[in-house]
Structures are given as structure tokens and as C-alpha cells.
Amino acid sequence: MGPRKWLELWPVYRQLTGTDPLGRGKAAESPHSAALAPRTASADRVAKSVCPYCAVGCGQQVFVKDEKVVQIEGDPHSPISRGRLCPKGSASKQLVTGPQREQKVRYRAPYATEWTELDLGTAMEMVADRVLDARRKGWQDTDDHGKPLRRTMGLASLGGATLDNEENYLIKKLFTALGAIQIENQARI
């Protein structure tokens, strides 16, 4: 490498001779940093989400490549957080991709003494079956005087603090359609 080439690699020389006199742009960029690309550049799609940690409900962008989460960042279009996330929200990718994340459900059947592992699909089918069974067992078509009730006392819903308005709306519609009358959300901020 000749002295001219070496001099052109020197950031101070690029700063004094180029279009970046303050040395805050290309003049200060090394060949290594010039070759870097953001982790989000390779994503196939971006899904909008809400941070799961607290009741604030900061918006998140979930970057997905080959159906795997590659990055989670704050959503700059969110009116709540305007692209900012707290330290917990910034680390929420670990909830989805961390090695400590459970991929199976542990289940102990009634009267059993041992736990068994179930895949998530089987567990969800069991939950759906039990919801329908509880609805049927607690169903009240009329009261003692013959007035129509068309409700179930076998189901109730208590929403969480991280649910946004749209999620609460859908949960309310679901449980109302199931006939439940005890529907509440504990978010009080």
C-alpha cells in the first residue's frame, strides 16, 4: 500500500478534503462499518405488535425472516411510544427466540401424580373443548319465572393490563357470544 492510499484511509484527511468537514458522516466511516447492514434489512416482512411487559402498550415492529423473528424494535408510528422502548421492551425478542422459551405444555391429568408433555396444538384443542363444556354445563336458558336469560355462569374473563382497546373489544365480543356475563379488565391506568 502506497503512501497516497494510506493517506486516503486516514479519517482526518477525508474530513479535510471531502464534503464532511465536521467528520460526522462518510469521513469518519471505516471500511468495516461501511460494509455493515442493519439486522432488519434481510427481513421478509414486518408485523406490528404491542410490548407485553406493562400497561403502557408501546408499539413494536417485529421483523420476520423465514417465519422466524430476527429483530424487535419500537414502532415509530405508535402514538404511545413513538418508536421508543424501555429496556424490557427492547429485550422482548428474547421472549420469542430465547433458549429458555418453552415449546411444549406440561399437563397433569385429573387425579394423576405425574406431569406429561403435550404439543401446543393438542393443548389448545383441550382448552377449546373445556371452554365449550363449561359453557354447556353452566348454561341458563331461563330464570325461575320463565324469563329468557340465555347466558352461562360457567365462564368469566379477566383481561390483562397489556391488552389494547382492539384486543379488549374482541375478547368482549367472544365472551358475550359464548354467553358469559362476567367480563372484566383489570387495567386501571
Side-chain angles (χ1 to χ4, degrees):
M1 178 185 305
R4 175 88 173 150
K5 186 69 172 167
W6 179 84
L7 189 61
E8 289 173 355
L9 291 176
W10 191 34
V12 175
Y13 176 79
R14 291 195 309 262
Q15 179 180 344
L16 295 174
T17 59
T19 59
D20 185 17
L22 298 177
R24 296 182 182 161
K26 291 286 184 187
E29 191 175 72
S30 70
H32 172 72
S33 61
L36 294 176
R39 287 182 288 237
T40 59
S42 64
D44 299 331
R45 61 187 171 94
V46 179
K48 302 283 185 180
S49 186
V50 177
C51 180
Y53 278 107
C54 71
V56 174
C58 296
Q60 291 183 325
Q61 292 181 325
V62 181
F63 294 86
V64 181
K65 178 180 179 149
D66 299 328
E67 296 306 311
K68 292 186 180 175
V69 175
V70 293
Q71 182 68 11
I72 297 178
E73 294 181 353
D75 184 359
H77 299 104
S78 169
I80 296 167
S81 57
R82 299 185 312 247
R84 297 171 184 88
L85 293 174
C86 70
K88 283 183 174 181
S90 296
S92 60
K93 178 182 172 230
Q94 294 174 359
L95 285 174
V96 180
T97 62
Q100 72 281 3
R101 181 178 173 88
E102 292 291 336
Q103 302 292 328
K104 297 187 179 194
V105 176
R106 293 187 47 108
Y107 171 71
R108 187 171 60 97
Y111 308 108
T113 58
E114 301 294 323
W115 291 90
T116 58
E117 284 190 353
L118 300 175
D119 64 285
L120 191 56
T122 302
M124 294 302 287
E125 288 293 328
M126 290 171 67
V127 169
D129 291 342
R130 289 175 182 180
V131 165
L132 295 176
D133 187 50
R135 178 183 185 264
R136 183 183 49 76
K137 286 179 179 175
W139 188 257
Q140 296 175 339
D141 210 26
T142 59
D143 66 6
D144 295 337
H145 305 292
K147 292 184 180 177
L149 295 174
R150 292 187 292 274
R151 69 181 185 191
T152 184
M153 300 302 284
L155 295 174
S157 171
L158 176 61
T162 61
L163 297 173
D164 61 23
N165 287 341
E166 291 80 12
E167 290 166 321
N168 280 317
Y169 175 77
L170 292 172
I171 289 170
K172 170 74 169 139
K173 283 187 72 112
L174 170 67
F175 277 88
T176 301
L178 287 170
I181 58 171
Q182 298 122 335
I183 305 168
E184 179 60 65
N185 186 302
Q186 57 90 19
R188 298 286 184 252
I189 61 169

